[in-house]
Amino acid sequence: MTHKTRWAELFPDEFLERQTQKSIIYLPLGICEPHGHISTFGLDTFKADYLCDESARRFGGIVAPTLAYQIHEAGYHAPWLAEVLGEQPALMTGMPPHVMLHFFLYQLRSFHNAGFNTAIIISGHSGGNQHDFRLAAKLFGEVSDMKIWVFADPELVADFYEGDHAGQYEISQSLYLRPDTIDLSKVNRMYESGSLGRFAQGEDALEASAEKGKDIIEKSLAFIEQLILKNHTEEKQARKILSYEVVEMVFEKLRERRSEWVTLQKYDFQNPTPEDSQWKEFETVKV
Ligand SMILES: [Zn+2]
């Protein structure tokens, strides 16, 4: 069997061979967003890519094209951005929740129509958006027999580590996976005039290490392996192509439950976004 795992890289016979062996599709969800001066923008994307690629390599299955745009700004993101970024430009590939979730349902449709039994979605961007993707996946499950699992990467290691933003947790992962995207010598750049300020850099970034990163990544992969062993089945189901109409119906149900969307609310522990902040209007987004 081919060692290639990316859908985009496979010939039709290779695709069917990999899928017959293990009917699992992985979807990496990333984003370009500020991770301080010490990191390039794609940290969340690199994590998600690696976890999906390596899972497919070790446990079987196929990796869907990465989606490197993610929900940002809305709800709890707004006061957070006001705090860690202030009035600087965010330079990020953020999307509104309803656009992402609508599109996500169509991504699931494409996986369903391609005949996969299990879809595993790994988001490198965490903080709460994963709950909304899970709600979307649950409602999609009412029209599809495909099993869908959504995780933000810190959830894979919740028994061992606490996730963070561009702090020791995330920077450790990068030092292990993509050391070329980290430059710790820039750790004090935020205090210099003419810089973008803190730019969402974590306070304990200097405690990061590649060894810690390797442990986080290996424990994450062990979690995914157990998930597959416990839940994935190869029983073949006859599949009918899902119409657009059905997906629109699922989205409508999801929209009706928007009061439950985590990405439309700030958390109780957060202070409201200051009135004069550029992020204020995103705290309450109309969907
Ligand atoms: Zn991140």
Side-chain angles (χ1 to χ4, degrees), residues 144-158:
S144 169
D145 57 357
M146 183 171 70
K147 287 181 190 155
I148 309 164
W149 302 94
V150 181
F151 293 100
D153 71 273
E155 294 178 316
L156 306 173
V157 291

Side-chain angles (χ1 to χ4, degrees), residues 68-85:
Y69 295 77
Q70 251 282 27
I71 299 172
H72 217 307
E73 297 165 292
Y76 63 85
H77 293 97
W80 182 77
L81 284 166
E83 182 191 331
V84 303
L85 206 74

